[in-house]
Amino acid sequence: MERDGTIEAIDFLLRPRSVAVIGASDRKSAMGNTVLQNFNRLKYGGTLYAIHPRHTEVEGYPCFPSVEVLPEPVDAVAIALSSEKVVPALEQAINAGARAAAIFASGFSEVSDGKELEEDLRLLCSKHDVKVVGPNCLGLLNVTTKMPLYSSALPDEMVPGNVAVISQSGSGCIAMICSGRFDFSFVVSSGNEATTTAADYVAYASRDDATEVIAVVAESIRDPHGFGEAADAALAKNKPVVVLKIGRSSKGMKAAAAHTGSLIGPFEEYRAFFEGHGVIVVDDLDELMETVDLFRRVRSLPTGDGVGLMNLSGGINALICDVADKVGVDFPLLADVTRTRLKEVLPDYASISNPLDGTGVAVFDMEMYTGALEAIAADPGVNLVGVSQDMPAGLDPVHIETARRVARTVVDAATRFDKPIFLITNVGGSVFDPAADILRAAGIPVLQGTHEGLLAIKHLGEYARIVRAGVETPPGPSASPVDEATRKEIRSLLSRNEGILPAAEAAKLFGVYGIEILRGTVVTDADQAVEAAGRIGYPVVLKVESSGILHKTEVGGVITDIGDEDSLRAAHSQMKDDVQRAVPGEKIDGYLVQPMVSGGVEAIVGSRRSDLFGSTMVVGPGGILVELLDSAAIALIPASKQSLSALVDETPLGKLLAGYRGVPPADRGALEDLLLSVGHLLSDVGDLIEELDLNPVSVLAAGRGVRVLDALVILKA
């Protein structure tokens, strides 16, 4: 497989037996000098050469005027030169036998006049099957093998660990390394990813024996298919992949014409992609660090969602409950047997709850503390055991002793139950290490900050559920009910049109997939409208028809529940005036008279074409609720009926369909059938469709089906 070959080639980057630093310098501020100092710090065991046209030695390493005169070919080179010198230097190194390179310089595709230079670099590497990290990066380091092709200063001591970091942002690497929280297997600052991408490094980490947790800071995913495969491989080996996706604000969204496009931005597409491959998504660096630290230290995955927490403060308990409710951490009610045991252990005035306030007495009575903690751990509804004990770095002597006493007691108690356990200190920032290290040495994670810590606990539960259930294998092309000949006809129909698909053609498209748009009659004046309503039967709906008007309600182009001829004539006159005022000069093609559909829950079903991930399916509350609730869920196509059905419950639509506040339940099954039909359509011809809206879709009472009241299809340019 091509990926296998790439992983083997990355060995020359992460495990080179010999390295040459091109651009070595004796100036302490120079990048080439920093790289050499890093080799000194990590005590690299391979062969290292410095390259400089005039020096014979730099930082204690032998120096040569060029790679061409080295006594042997090297596996990898670090190129500490400006961008215009990189390609010639790399070509010379390749000719001398180098198989990989770290390129630190900026000035490539991240700037407009550097794109051609990066393409030259890519072509050179492709021609000779050479892999590079970068350009525009800090490089990479393998802590396990003590090999730093890395251009930023490193700590004096780095102990090999179990966390791999892959970050397009160099600052992301610096933050993780300098946090003092982790020991790493390897760290990659991938930069522009000219030849190797995050997908390649995640795949490498999935096979790396030293790596147990994979942290990714991504600005984009250049190879979605490869990343998905790599994440699946990591999941199969129970190696969590935790991603911080940056660059997700609305400024990054392209303008969207249909409602669907305004509901779902690029980040929602990324989230759907990540979740489909068992990847945990976090929102900032603090959350990333707490989540990774919990994953790397926790002794086992919880077997369920229930968290039992021991605390010594009623006020902090209230805070924890507030935050837990916000982020979605479950503190189940304690079983009767647990409550009885706690009443035996704690003072009479103790309030028995979860989280548990062990009272101030337990601070000084470690036998009481131990009994309460063990009772919580034994509860059948508790799958993850927690202790809340603040340990900020500035503790006074009395509280230092308290922190140490609690830490030792927790470590001792944890030996008598096999459920995973953590401690959370509710203040972020630095902790009192002499107490925290007692816990860490026993394999007990110490989480910092109530909000970030509880988010990490939530993510641990999410990952445990994924591992227990297994991630749904992404389906192949959906089993469309439409035969090949008909699909070709539909593709031909769409290819003959551009922009907004005319209503008649849209009806043909949907009809092929068993999706019926509510029928009506297009008229040009009030008399024809009255005649059409007579055939349909009152009440009716009147809608403006114009290829230039996408959202009819916003210009007064929809009037509902018209009950008689006089009302219809008045509605027609009013609509003409309102539309002309709202969009002066816009060509009106006519007016659509449709039967009025009463009752039901309004939904939106739509799609937007993603440049990275292809067609997407979007579901949420519809009609006027689209703007009011601004809530929708997304899945990538192709998708199974099960995953499409799950979308419904990710928004308020699920509760609305179930019969909210006494309203009878709606026909959810019919809506799910509609989702599957739209999924078939998108699997077959979605590559030709930029955006699609079925809005509103009226989901009628159980057993009565759905009615698609309006449809919009915008074709891909």
Side-chain angles (χ1 to χ4, degrees), residues 466-603:
I466 292 168
V467 170
R468 289 196 302 270
V471 173
E472 175 189 3
T473 301
S478 183
S480 173
V482 177
D483 61 68
E484 184 63 28
T486 305
R487 280 201 293 272
K488 287 183 178 178
E489 290 178 15
I490 291 298
R491 294 187 70 84
S492 176
L493 180 150
L494 298 180
S495 298
R496 292 195 301 269
N497 287 274
E498 58 183 24
I500 297 175
L501 188 66
E505 306 284 43
K508 291 179 185 176
L509 167 66
F510 289 117
V512 165
Y513 291 89
I515 302 167
E516 184 176 349
I517 311 302
L518 187 66
R519 294 183 179 181
T521 302
V522 177
V523 301
T524 58
D525 56 37
D527 290 338
Q528 290 181 6
V530 169
E531 183 181 344
R535 292 194 302 271
I536 293 171
Y538 290 98
V540 296
V541 176
L542 187 67
K543 300 178 181 178
V544 69
E545 287 289 290
S546 170
S547 59
I549 300 174
L550 299 181
H551 304 307
K552 300 170 186 176
T553 56
E554 295 175 5
V555 298
V558 178
I559 298 178
T560 63
D561 203 17
I562 303 169
D564 53 45
E565 178 179 337
D566 290 343
S567 299
L568 179 56
R569 290 184 181 278
H572 178 267
S573 177
Q574 177 188 333
M575 184 175 292
K576 283 180 63 178
D577 293 342
D578 288 348
V579 171
Q580 286 301 325
R581 275 195 299 272
V583 282
E586 185 66 51
K587 181 176 181 290
I588 305 302
D589 300 320
Y591 300 87
L592 178 66
V593 183
Q594 289 180 310
M596 178 72 189
V597 177
S598 300
V601 174
E602 290 192 336

Side-chain angles (χ1 to χ4, degrees), residues 397-441:
V398 172
H399 288 97
I400 285 173
E401 182 52 37
T402 298
R404 284 175 168 155
R405 188 166 59 243
V406 168
R408 287 191 293 264
T409 301
V410 170
V411 168
D412 178 65
T415 63
R416 290 187 289 279
F417 55 82
D418 59 3
K419 294 178 181 178
I421 182 171
F422 66 90
L423 182 140
I424 184 168
T425 173
N426 295 284
V427 180
S430 58
V431 297
F432 181 64
D433 282 328
D437 286 346
I438 295 171
L439 295 152
R440 292 167 179 155

Side-chain angles (χ1 to χ4, degrees), residues 603-622:
I604 181 172
V605 178
S607 173
R608 189 179 81 168
R609 185 76 183 171
S610 165
D611 292 338
L612 274 176
F613 306 116
S615 294
T616 63
M617 169 82 77
V618 179
V619 181

Side-chain angles (χ1 to χ4, degrees), residues 5-6 10 35 45 88 124 141 174 231 271 273 277 308 323 382 404 410 477 497 501 529 538 555:
T6 299
I10 290 176
V35 175
L124 174 65
L141 63 143
I174 293 172
R271 183 182 289 279
F273 169 72
H277 293 283
V323 177
V382 170
R404 284 175 168 155
V410 170
N497 287 274
L501 188 66
Y538 290 98
V555 298

Side-chain angles (χ1 to χ4, degrees), residues 251-270:
K251 291 183 179 179
M253 294 173 58
K254 63 181 182 181
H259 280 301
T260 300
S262 63
L263 282 173
I264 296 297
F267 175 64
E268 284 78 11
E269 295 169 1
Y270 271 104

Side-chain angles (χ1 to χ4, degrees), residues 597-601 657 664-668 670 697-707:
V597 177
S598 300
V601 174
L657 293 173
D667 199 339
R668 176 171 175 146
V697 175
S698 182
V699 187
L700 304 178
R704 293 185 56 198
V706 298
R707 301 290 184 274

Side-chain angles (χ1 to χ4, degrees), residues 646-679:
L647 294 182
V648 175
D649 294 317
E650 293 180 24
T651 76
L653 181 59
K655 289 184 178 179
L656 294 172
L657 293 173
Y660 188 66
R661 293 198 170 182
V663 176
D667 199 339
R668 176 171 175 146
L671 176 62
E672 292 177 354
D673 288 341
L674 174 64
L675 298 183
L676 188 61
S677 295
V678 175

Side-chain angles (χ1 to χ4, degrees), residues 13 16 19-25 29-39 48-49 51 76-87 89-90 100-111 117-118 121 131-142 147-154 167-171 173-174 187-194 201:
L13 279 169
V19 175
V21 179
I22 302 174
S25 173
S29 61
M31 184 183 299
N33 187 273
T34 301
V35 175
L36 291 172
Q37 288 183 49
N38 286 335
F39 275 94
L48 183 66
Y49 301 104
I51 305 297
V77 293
I79 302 180
L81 301 173
S82 55
S83 58
E84 73 278 3
K85 298 176 182 178
V86 165
V87 173
L90 178 59
I103 300 174
F104 311 121
S106 56
F108 288 84
S109 65
E110 78 279 3
V111 295
L117 184 59
E118 185 161 320
L121 171 65
K131 301 300 180 185
V132 303
V133 59
N136 187 32
C137 73
L138 298 181
L140 49 75
L141 63 143
N142 188 334
M147 194 294 306
L149 288 172
Y150 194 75
S151 63
S152 184
L154 292 172
S167 175
Q168 283 177 291
S169 162
S171 295
C173 292
I174 293 172
V187 177
V188 178
S189 163
S190 60
N192 292 5
E193 300 187 349
Y201 296 115

